[in-house]
Amino acid sequence: AQTVTQSQPEMSVQEAETVTLSCTYDTSESNYYLFWYKQPPSRQMILVIRQEAYKQQNATENRFSVNFQKAAKSFSLKISDSQLGDTAMYFCAFMKQVSWGKLQFGAGTQVVVTP
Amino acid sequence: GAVVSQHPSWVICKSGTSVKIECRSLDFQATTMFWYRQFPKQSLMLMATSNEGSKATYEQGVEKDKFLINHASLTLSTLTVTSAHPEDSSFYICSAREGRQGSGNTIYFGEGSWLTVV
């Protein structure tokens, strides 16, 4: 069984600053994907970034980037130049390649961006 | 882009009654959909995998007789909470995988449905 751990319940960051969210996971799978999802107060799940485990290169999407350390089973998210609209709950998620679409989520980290 | 729509967004029902929540893929065929449950300030927990034309696969600990899932067409999955009780009050979210088997296909989430049982 897989586990996804997010150890930071809440993070606060000022506008334009950088914040890093941590995520660790445990799996015996070889082929898997990792995701960061954002859930704003509207509750709509929004994909932030996705990382294929077989890729060594860290994924980036504009102001969002990950630090994927496969051996350490670590998958952190860095939000640069934080904006007020980044305020949301952020979930780290794991998915086995053979079970495409079936996500296992971490507990979440509430990010609050302050002016 | 592709959209997954849930209906209703909000529903209040009396204890002991049943309530149905629909999950529709609006412009793509979804052979597989997923139902999650989210309690306030908690994470999403997968309840079941809904497969078009076949029985749903439930996660351990989820009562299949209580949470009936039907996936009768390629664009619609329904979750029926039977004999609802206040502890069933929660936020229910569906997601849909575009296309058939194969990794790389985009996953789309519905807007979610709030269920309150009084």
Side-chain angles (χ1 to χ4, degrees):
Chain A
Q2 287 69 230
T3 58
V4 180
T5 304
Q6 292 180 251
S7 57
Q8 304 151 312
E10 184 166 333
M11 299 282 284
S12 183
V13 60
Q14 285 194 312
E15 261 187 305
E17 297 297 308
T18 296
V19 63
T20 300
L21 312 183
S22 67
C23 173
T24 58
Y25 61 96
D26 189 24
T27 185
S28 58
E29 296 287 323
S30 302
N31 300 313
Y32 56 89
Y33 292 73
L34 296 163
F35 303 81
W36 279 98
Y37 278 91
K38 168 184 177 180
Q39 188 180 44
S42 68
R43 292 273 183 155
Q44 177 69 52
M45 296 294 286
I46 301 167
L47 176 64
V48 175
I49 204 163
R50 158 181 149 178
Q51 174 80 43
E52 292 85 347
Y54 62 84
K55 287 187 178 178
Q56 291 188 333
Q57 187 173 6
N58 290 322
T60 62
E61 284 290 342
N62 302 312
R63 297 182 294 107
F64 300 88
S65 62
V66 297
N67 184 0
F68 175 46
Q69 301 290 326
K70 190 172 183 178
K73 295 190 171 74
S74 171
F75 183 61
S76 62
L77 174 71
K78 183 169 79 173
I79 307 174
S80 304
D81 186 25
S82 296
Q83 300 175 1
L84 294 178
D86 295 333
T87 293
M89 182 71 85
Y90 287 80
F91 293 101
C92 178
F94 174 97
M95 178 164 63
K96 293 193 289 188
Q97 182 171 317
V98 295
S99 303
W100 190 264
K102 186 174 173 179
L103 291 158
Q104 182 165 354
F105 290 91
T109 297
Q110 176 67 49
V111 171
V112 177
V113 181
T114 57
Chain B
V3 175
V4 172
S5 177
Q6 275 185 248
H7 177 80
S9 301
W10 297 81
V11 59
I12 300 174
C13 71
K14 290 186 177 180
S15 207
T17 63
S18 295
V19 60
K20 181 185 288 186
I21 300 170
E22 295 184 344
C23 179
R24 290 183 185 273
S25 57
L26 297 185
D27 56 2
F28 68 96
Q29 293 184 337
T31 55
T32 305
M33 292 183 174
F34 303 88
W35 286 96
Y36 296 84
R37 183 176 183 175
Q38 186 179 28
F39 288 110
K41 297 188 178 181
Q42 292 190 25
S43 187
L44 284 75
M45 298 297 295
L46 180 66
M47 298 175 66
T49 302
S50 173
N51 302 298
E52 186 266 335
S54 64
K55 290 184 178 180
T57 305
Y58 290 82
E59 295 299 303
Q60 193 171 10
V62 177
E63 299 175 63
K64 60 176 128 181
D65 294 332
K66 180 167 189 59
F67 298 100
L68 300 179
I69 291 172
N70 184 275
H71 195 152
S73 78
L74 286 170
T75 58
L76 175 65
S77 174
T78 60
L79 168 68
T80 301
V81 182
T82 62
S83 186
H85 287 98
E87 57 265 31
D88 299 325
S89 299
S90 186
F91 188 64
Y92 293 88
I93 312 176
C94 72
S95 69
R97 183 181 76 194
E98 185 176 13
R100 294 189 176 271
Q101 280 288 352
S103 61
N105 297 342
T106 304
I107 303 161
Y108 299 95
F109 279 87
E111 314 97 319
S113 300
W114 280 104
L115 169 63
T116 302
V117 184
V118 297

